[in-house]
Amino acid sequence: MVTQSQALQSAATAPEAPKVYRGDHLLVAQMVEPGSRVLDVGCGEGDLLRLLESRGVDGRGIEISREGVNHCVAKGLAVIQGDADTDLVNYPDDAFDYVILSQTLQATRQPRVVLEHLLRIGRRAIVSFPNFGNWRMRLQLLLKGQMPRTEHLPATWYDTANIHFCTIKDFVQLCDEINVKMERAVALDRSGRPLRFNAPWWFWNLFGEQGVFLLSRGKR
Amino acid sequence: MSDSALEAGKRAPAPHYAREADRPTSLVAEFGSDTPLRLDCGVDLAPFQIAYQTYGRLNADGTNAVLICHALTGDQHVANVHPVTGKPGWWETLVGPGKPIDTERYFVVCSNVVGGCLGSTGPSSTNPATGRLWGLDFPVITIPDMVRAQAMLIDRLGIETLFAAVGGSMGGMQVLQWASAYPQRVFSALPIACAPRHSAQNIAFHEVGRQAVMADPDWHNGRYFEHGIKPHRGLGVARMAAHITYLSDAALHRKFGRRLQDREVPTFSFDADFEVESYLRHQGSSFVERFDANSYLYLTRAMDYFDLAADHGGALASAFRGTDTRFCVVSFTSDWLFPTSESRTVVHALNAGGARVSFAEIETDRGHDAFLLEVPEFFDIVRAFLQSAAKTRGLPAETR
């Protein structure tokens, strides 16, 4: 007879991962130590969670859409239907090693509060978001005089779920303000590849399509 | 009551439900006086019997057993024609070959709860000590008592660990109790449209039902069978009141609105002028045919007493601490009897305890009853959850 713990162990290696991963997902996965406990807030259809579980991470998710939750449950992932803005308050302190907010920050009502929760619930947080300071965005607004639309952010201003855009510079400022330590910061280009590692902030802010940050509590 | 009246009562043909109570149209596990059921009220119930049905086959490892826990007025006939009503099983849409709970893959067990009236020992069974029906002499039972009896049945069937425990409403309470009391014996748990405790409002509705039964002059202090009658009206009213709580205003409106029944104008009387009235009357009277009034009292009481947090020092998370069971909690948007907030309470407790839990709220206007109806999104999630759990458990892939 297969014991429960044996079965759970085999489960850790069970999920078959899709062959092609998004660049930001691969980067996030690299930041997570194997064997840790991870909460992915806004986990969508669970692609990142699957990638993480295939690397021996104990992953949980929160997802607002029922379709997303269904997909995740079908993949054997532990995902709860819920809203990052209202549900994080229910999680106890230090419940996870990492809490991930992948491409979700700009869709929250209170990004600052959410960020604070992330670092209360997890020892570390990984946040990725589209950089609104990217030159294409700036150029569209400058030349067209309209809210920018890109392949990553294709929705029009009135029907987008994204309500709090920020630039890499803005985000760094917020982290400063709430005393969050940036352990790693990476800007990704259009195809999800990291930009030059030693480039100055203004360069990232202008040319990065996304920012990915590994954060931990307090500088002091 | 005189003995001669009792004798006369014995000679009268026993009502159908009474025969089902002692000699059910299903499998029966008998437990002798050497294996009593320890009840929360302090009584040892022995001998006693549990009536159950099975579907599919237990695999060689004994790893594919799914226990289905029925709701307040359900029974063991989950996926076969009901012996009393002649209607299909209450979850036949969900349980069967190729269905979300696939009887070609899983060995499905469903037992009538202790205190029920379809063959598990309850108030309408014969008390072996006296030769009379138990009636109100039957000890008060609880949800943990029901689960303890089921565990004895599962032992008897040679099953060490359930692949899954599944149930809605009162059945969901049993699933939570199973996962809490026997974490090592439940690989995965699917509590649906339920709560970790019965709310004050729910207790209030149950009390209305019980008072309706007990106010019926035919109830005879619970010994109606000795008078050859049943408290039809009281139990019917109890069912009508309860049935409203199972639906939603939107569902009632969609189904009936304010339409009149077989007439153009109101009769200016207390006949069932409205369609919704005759629907409720029908629900009441058909229920009386298949259910025992005393069982209704006992089972509603068992739900009222249920409070999983209170059983664990007030902290619900303690009920699930360190569990390895995989959970999938499901609620329905229009369920006001067991609202989503109750399911979220369970989910938060499971999270706090580090449990592996998924949760989905299904959008429907069909109220609490949705868990008994064919709601595609609900079925999808049951299927998906069980399939992924089966894969983890090492059960063979689907045959079709």
Side-chain angles (χ1 to χ4, degrees):
Chain A
M1 177 175 290
V2 185
T3 71
Q4 186 149 352
S5 58
Q6 278 170 345
L8 281 172
Q9 264 171 7
S10 70
T13 54
E16 307 134 20
K19 293 203 175 67
V20 182
Y21 284 110
R22 276 168 42 186
D24 59 323
H25 282 178
L26 285 167
L27 182 64
V28 168
Q30 279 169 20
M31 293 179 173
V32 174
E33 284 168 34
S36 46
R37 273 175 58 79
V38 170
L39 178 68
D40 184 1
V41 180
C43 62
E45 299 197 348
D47 290 341
L48 176 59
L49 273 177
R50 276 241 282 201
L51 172 62
L52 289 169
E53 292 217 335
S54 73
R55 297 181 173 199
V57 166
D58 181 14
R60 307 295 156 88
I62 301 179
E63 169 56 32
I64 201 162
S65 83
R66 195 160 23 249
E67 299 74 34
V69 174
N70 270 348
H71 280 289
C72 291
V73 170
K75 290 169 188 163
L77 302 167
V79 172
I80 288 161
Q81 193 178 8
D83 186 336
D85 273 306
T86 53
D87 291 4
L88 291 178
V89 67
N90 296 307
Y91 283 79
D93 296 359
D94 296 310
F96 292 89
D97 298 315
Y98 299 84
V99 182
I100 295 172
L101 196 67
S102 169
Q103 302 289 322
T104 303
L105 185 71
Q106 74 281 1
T108 62
R109 282 189 293 280
Q110 302 200 68
R112 180 186 167 138
V113 176
V114 168
L115 194 58
E116 283 169 336
H117 274 307
L118 298 187
L119 281 158
R120 178 186 60 79
I121 299 166
R123 284 192 300 112
R124 288 178 169 150
I126 300 172
V127 180
S128 75
F129 57 87
N131 173 28
F132 218 69
N134 180 271
W135 66 272
R136 274 175 240 275
M137 300 282 195
R138 301 190 194 191
L139 205 61
Q140 278 195 40
L141 191 57
L142 186 71
L143 296 182
K144 285 193 184 172
Q146 285 190 303
M147 283 300 280
R149 288 166 64 184
T150 66
E151 57 184 301
H152 285 122
L153 298 166
T156 48
W157 64 273
Y158 52 83
D159 66 0
T160 176
N162 301 319
I163 50 179
H164 280 127
F165 284 115
C166 67
T167 69
I168 287 178
K169 192 174 169 185
D170 288 328
F171 185 76
V172 170
Q173 221 162 54
L174 175 62
C175 289
D176 266 348
E177 235 168 85
I178 58 176
N179 195 28
V180 168
K181 184 176 163 192
M182 275 186 286
E183 295 200 357
R184 242 185 111 182
V186 182
L188 301 180
D189 68 12
R190 221 171 164 184
S191 48
R193 280 190 300 262
L195 291 185
R196 240 175 66 211
F197 171 68
N198 54 355
W201 280 113
W202 66 262
F203 182 86
W204 281 14
N205 201 30
L206 190 58
F207 294 105
E209 285 261 340
Q210 291 181 56
V212 183
F213 290 79
L214 174 64
L215 310 170
S216 64
R217 291 170 197 166
K219 290 173 177 171
R220 284 175 287 243
Chain B
M1 175 173 299
S2 70
D3 280 342
S4 61
L6 267 181
E7 286 305 309
K10 273 185 180 169
R11 275 196 302 275
H16 196 28
Y17 71 84
R19 291 208 309 278
E20 280 292 329
D22 281 326
R23 295 186 299 281
T25 322
S26 65
L27 302 167
V28 179
E30 288 172 353
F31 297 88
S33 34
D34 52 330
T35 49
L37 175 64
R38 290 270 145 86
L39 299 176
D40 281 341
C41 67
V43 173
D44 275 357
L45 185 64
F48 73 101
Q49 66 180 37
I50 296 295
Y52 66 102
Q53 291 287 64
T54 70
Y55 312 85
R57 280 164 175 271
L58 187 63
N59 64 13
D61 297 341
T63 54
N64 69 335
V66 174
L67 176 72
I68 294 182
C69 302
H70 70 71
L72 172 62
T73 66
D75 49 50
Q76 68 273 39
H77 301 288
V78 62
N80 55 261
V81 172
H82 195 280
V84 177
T85 64
K87 288 183 177 165
W90 57 272
W91 241 359
E92 204 160 73
T93 48
L94 192 74
V95 180
K99 307 258 171 78
I101 300 178
D102 188 350
T103 51
E104 286 176 355
R105 306 186 73 195
Y106 312 124
F107 176 61
V108 173
V109 181
C110 183
S111 73
N112 187 217
V113 294
V114 63
C117 53
L118 261 287
S120 292
T121 298
S124 50
S125 311
T126 305
N127 178 354
T130 63
R132 299 166 74 193
L133 300 195
W134 277 97
L136 294 196
D137 295 337
F138 194 72
V140 167
I141 49 140
T142 64
I143 301 286
D145 291 338
M146 296 175 186
V147 167
R148 221 169 283 130
Q150 280 167 348
M152 291 172 77
L153 171 68
I154 294 304
D155 284 339
R156 178 72 63 88
L157 295 175
I159 298 163
E160 197 177 310
T161 303
L162 295 170
F163 163 62
V166 185
S169 198
M170 185 180 88
M173 289 175 162
Q174 293 166 60
V175 171
L176 293 177
Q177 177 64 27
W178 258 101
S180 169
Y182 307 101
Q184 300 305 316
R185 301 192 66 181
V186 185
F187 183 77
S188 62
L190 239 168
I192 301 157
C194 67
R197 61 176 174 63
H198 219 219
S199 71
Q201 179 177 273
N202 293 355
I203 295 170
F205 278 118
H206 274 173
E207 177 61 2
V208 169
R210 283 190 294 265
Q211 288 301 326
V213 170
M214 294 190 280
D216 189 325
D218 289 341
W219 183 59
H220 291 290
N221 210 24
R223 303 215 72 84
Y224 41 87
F225 29 81
E226 288 168 6
H227 298 261
I229 45 173
K230 291 197 280 181
H232 280 104
R233 287 160 295 180
L235 186 57
V237 169
R239 176 62 169 181
M240 287 167 75
H243 201 80
I244 298 168
T245 69
Y246 303 153
L247 305 174
S248 69
D249 189 33
L252 279 174
H253 240 278
R254 181 163 41 77
K255 230 168 162 177
F256 309 107
R258 291 181 49 86
R259 285 193 301 277
L260 300 180
Q261 176 84 33
D262 304 330
R263 66 203 65 179
E264 298 295 318
V265 291
T267 59
F268 295 100
S269 72
F270 295 104
D271 286 350
D273 276 2
F274 293 102
E275 276 184 16
V276 65
E277 290 175 317
S278 48
Y279 168 76
L280 281 182
R281 288 184 189 194
H282 168 76
Q283 287 295 332
S285 63
S286 60
F287 178 63
V288 168
E289 295 309 313
R290 69 176 174 89
F291 213 83
D292 175 60
N294 286 340
S295 265
Y296 195 81
L297 303 182
Y298 278 87
L299 299 189
T300 54
R301 206 72 189 130
M303 288 179 80
D304 292 351
Y305 281 141
F306 188 60
D307 188 344
L308 197 49
D311 293 345
H312 290 85
L316 188 58
S318 312
F320 304 111
R321 185 160 294 155
T323 182
D324 280 337
T325 303
R326 309 162 75 86
F327 288 83
C328 182
V329 178
V330 179
S331 72
F332 299 93
T333 49
S334 52
D335 184 349
W336 56 279
L337 193 63
F338 291 99
T340 293
S341 56
E342 299 276 8
S343 288
R344 283 199 185 275
T345 304
V346 174
V347 170
H348 296 154
L350 287 166
N351 263 328
R356 197 177 167 83
V357 55
S358 295
F359 165 68
E361 182 187 30
I362 307 294
E363 190 158 352
T364 172
D365 74 348
R366 298 165 104 172
H368 180 61
D369 248 5
F371 85 91
L372 293 170
L373 305 172
E374 205 169 343
V375 178
E377 283 182 320
F378 165 47
F379 278 28
D380 286 348
I381 208 144
V382 171
R383 186 187 288 273
F385 174 69
L386 290 180
Q387 279 183 3
S388 71
K391 201 170 153 195
T392 310
R393 186 72 167 140
L395 297 179
E398 258 190 313
T399 45
R400 53 177 75 197

